[in-house]
Amino acid sequence: MYGNTHTIASHIGDGLRSRFDVRVVPVGEATAEMVAEADLVVCGGPTHVHTMRSRFSRRSAIDAADKDSTLSVDPAAKGPGLREWIQGVGHHATAAAAFDTRIDGPAALTGRACKGIARRLR
């Protein structure tokens, strides 16, 4: 919501770029054709309330940014969420990996969005 996942995705892309042709795009721009043509799809999202963000937690994050002038919502965050994208992209025999962004701490306390992302990607 605030650009952290976008930053990590860019760094992952930079790391893979020496071996692969890489495109880092928000889910709203990732088409089914892109997924079908890819050798590897890496998906990530923020951890909200111990799991993948939902419509409710997305709305809460936007409301928090409206109330706190030190926060700003990443423009790509206003598009479709990862849950909706995975549902709509269809089934493909493409290798995939998942990551999340979350507060630093034990996963038992912070939760992990990557578990839900990976489950849905399978």
Side-chain angles (χ1 to χ4, degrees):
M1 294 301 298
Y2 309 125
N4 297 316
T5 303
H6 186 159
T7 298
I8 298 302
S10 294
H11 287 294
I12 291 170
D14 291 345
L16 293 171
R17 197 164 273 117
S18 66
R19 308 248 344 223
F20 300 96
D21 179 27
V22 174
R23 293 174 64 184
V24 177
V25 296
V27 294
E29 296 176 24
T31 65
E33 293 77 25
M34 291 169 73
V35 172
E37 293 172 1
D39 294 321
L40 172 66
V41 173
V42 180
C43 294
T47 301
H48 285 191
V49 195
H50 286 261
T51 189
M52 290 175 66
R53 67 184 184 187
S54 65
R55 284 188 201 135
F56 173 76
S57 66
R58 285 168 57 102
R59 183 73 247 158
S60 295
I62 291 169
D63 290 346
D66 289 343
K67 294 175 186 169
D68 183 342
S69 63
T70 64
L71 297 173
S72 61
V73 177
D74 187 305
K78 294 184 179 180
L82 197 50
R83 290 173 191 259
E84 295 85 11
W85 178 78
I86 292 171
Q87 279 183 322
V89 79
H91 297 279
H92 302 277
T94 304
F99 73 94
D100 62 35
T101 53
R102 56 190 145 101
I103 295 171
D104 187 26
L109 298 177
T110 65
R112 284 188 231 172
C114 63
K115 290 176 78 173
I117 296 167
R119 186 175 57 252
R120 284 169 175 81
L121 288 172
R122 279 191 292 277

